[in-house]
Amino acid sequence: MNRAAEVLGFLRGRRDHVSGAFMASRLNITRTAVWKVLKQLEQMGYTFERLKGRGYRLTGSPDRLYPWEVGRHLDTKFVGRELIYRDSVDSTNGVAFELALAGCAEGTCVVAEAQSAGRGRLQRTWHSPYGKNLYLSCVLRPALHPSEVHPLTFISSLAVYDTLASEGLEPRLKWPNDVLIDGRKVSGTLIELSCEADRVRFVVIGIGLNVNMADMNAEIADKATSLLIVSRKPFERTRICGMLLGNLERYYEMVRSQGVGRVCRSWEERAGIRGAYMEITQMGRTYRGVSEGIDSDGAVLLREKGAVTRVIAGDVST
Ligand code: BTN
């Protein structure tokens, strides 16, 4: 598909038409080959104006997360440099996991327009309608002990947080990895990993971000929101995706250079969690208390009747 990206590169941002002969000579291919690429692009949703004797002009681009479109907004060293695009998958985490098992490079990402079996935390499903949101999974190979992996969940929620804040929105972090706006969930992360007894082989960080979804199904209507709903305008998903990947790489570099404890501190500060009263339900048991912050492995420290309990997983209700 590089050829298509090259042809688009010639046409994008030009008011004038570009001749097939010019593109063919620059790409060192025949005019028929250029024409075939243009046909392929039309099938993908791009539109062109063709004027006899003058050539082609790009008149429209589809709202699709094609790698070369996300790539226009990508300023990373390795995260998303290999970007696998799928129209529809069961789960981008599943695809990324298979790629990781097959030895793909660190930073390889999978994006899809829809998921038929999007996975959420605690065996929940992630509502994944076509062409509206971001469903993204990234393969990382951190040099961590399995017990240190949990805080990696914070790098994605921090990355989402910064992306939304730079769009002028006011996100809020909810432990362990939700991002909310106006009290409703806009993004979540599901981490899946493969490890040996004392070494992580790889981690798949799966991020769901509701971008342009206007209608929520009844099950999530009172709990979820999207960027479109809160700001009453659509967002360019390719740009949001590029920014998000940039922020993800930045926080991952923080883990690599300063350790997981550093990212826990950043998350704790952004979430403003210290001193907050919390109720966390974990496997049927509810812990209540005042938070003393986040431990270096990502657990919440809850002061309950004088004693401090570490809660490593669960759902926060308050
Ligand atoms: C949560 O329950 O909050 C986590 C939701 C994670 C959803 C994302 S969408 C992309 C990736 N693929 C999946 O199947 N799940 C994650």
Side-chain angles (χ1 to χ4, degrees), residues 15 49 51 60 67 107 133 154-155 158 176 216 257 279 298:
R15 287 222 211 107
E49 180 185 71
L51 283 188
N133 301 322
F154 296 146
I155 72 173
L158 281 167
M216 304 286 163
S257 60
E279 287 184 11

Side-chain angles (χ1 to χ4, degrees), residues 5 12-14 42 83 85 100 103 109 112 117-118 145 189 191 222 240 243 258 270 289 303 312:
R12 179 160 271 136
R14 293 196 195 214
E42 268 176 350
L83 186 59
Y85 173 83
C109 289
H145 187 271
T189 296
I191 290 204
D222 58 335
I240 298 291
M243 279 164 56
Q258 299 172 59
R270 286 272 164 62
R303 180 168 287 281
I312 190 75

Side-chain angles (χ1 to χ4, degrees), residues 8-278:
L8 281 172
F10 282 124
L11 297 169
R12 179 160 271 136
R14 293 196 195 214
R15 287 222 211 107
D16 294 340
H17 293 70
V18 181
S19 77
F22 173 77
M23 289 190 274
S25 75
R26 295 295 292 269
L27 293 174
N28 208 12
I29 54 174
T30 62
R31 283 171 69 170
T32 314
V34 169
W35 181 83
K36 278 190 185 151
V37 172
L38 289 165
K39 277 273 153 255
Q40 243 180 0
L41 286 167
E42 268 176 350
Q43 277 158 13
M44 293 175 142
Y46 292 91
T47 54
F48 305 97
E49 180 185 71
R50 182 172 176 222
L51 283 188
K52 235 182 163 169
R54 287 180 59 192
Y56 303 87
R57 192 169 70 86
L58 181 67
T59 50
S61 302
D63 173 17
R64 291 287 171 266
L65 296 162
Y66 296 140
W68 51 91
E69 297 292 348
V70 174
R72 295 170 59 215
H73 308 286
L74 201 59
D75 181 19
T76 57
K77 290 200 281 293
F78 61 99
V79 169
R81 287 286 149 200
E82 184 69 31
L83 186 59
I84 312 295
Y85 173 83
R86 294 280 184 274
D87 194 54
S88 183
V89 287
D90 48 359
S91 155
T92 55
N93 264 29
V95 177
F97 206 92
E98 291 300 321
L99 290 169
L101 284 174
C104 72
E106 181 168 55
T108 298
C109 289
V110 179
V111 287
E113 299 294 349
Q115 298 185 116
S116 55
R119 310 203 276 253
R121 281 177 61 236
L122 309 169
Q123 316 278 314
R124 294 180 187 132
T125 55
W126 187 257
H127 184 54
S128 311
Y130 191 90
K132 300 283 175 202
N133 301 322
L134 283 184
Y135 317 115
L136 166 75
S137 298
C138 178
V139 175
L140 298 176
R141 300 183 183 278
L144 293 176
H145 187 271
S147 64
E148 296 177 297
V149 165
H150 191 247
L152 280 186
T153 196
F154 296 146
I155 72 173
S156 68
S157 47
L158 281 167
V160 170
Y161 181 101
D162 286 2
T163 303
L164 303 189
S166 66
E167 290 297 294
L169 297 160
E170 290 181 13
R172 190 168 74 75
L173 295 175
K174 180 179 168 190
W175 187 84
N177 50 22
D178 292 355
V179 183
L180 316 182
I181 301 181
D182 295 343
R184 290 173 185 217
K185 182 158 165 172
V186 73
S187 174
T189 296
L190 176 68
I191 290 204
E192 294 179 286
L193 75 154
S194 164
C195 56
E196 291 163 18
D198 55 1
R199 183 182 80 93
V200 170
R201 281 196 208 97
F202 63 82
V203 172
V204 172
I205 300 198
I207 308 174
L209 172 62
N210 298 337
V211 181
N212 292 327
M213 179 159 73
D215 321 301
M216 304 286 163
N217 68 18
E219 218 179 295
I220 58 169
D222 58 335
K223 298 187 279 237
T225 192
S226 71
L227 304 189
L228 174 93
I229 291 174
V230 294
S231 52
R232 295 195 196 91
K233 63 167 178 126
F235 285 75
E236 201 182 339
R237 288 184 305 147
T238 51
R239 194 171 62 78
I240 298 291
C241 186
M243 279 164 56
L244 177 56
L245 293 175
N247 286 325
L248 191 65
E249 181 175 281
R250 187 163 52 81
Y251 281 110
Y252 183 52
E253 293 288 27
M254 184 188 262
V255 169
R256 292 213 289 200
S257 60
Q258 299 172 59
V260 289
R262 175 69 179 84
V263 95
C264 289
R265 296 285 76 74
S266 290
W267 189 92
E268 184 187 274
E269 277 162 33
R270 286 272 164 62
I273 198 173
R274 265 177 191 267
Y277 174 77
M278 292 175 84

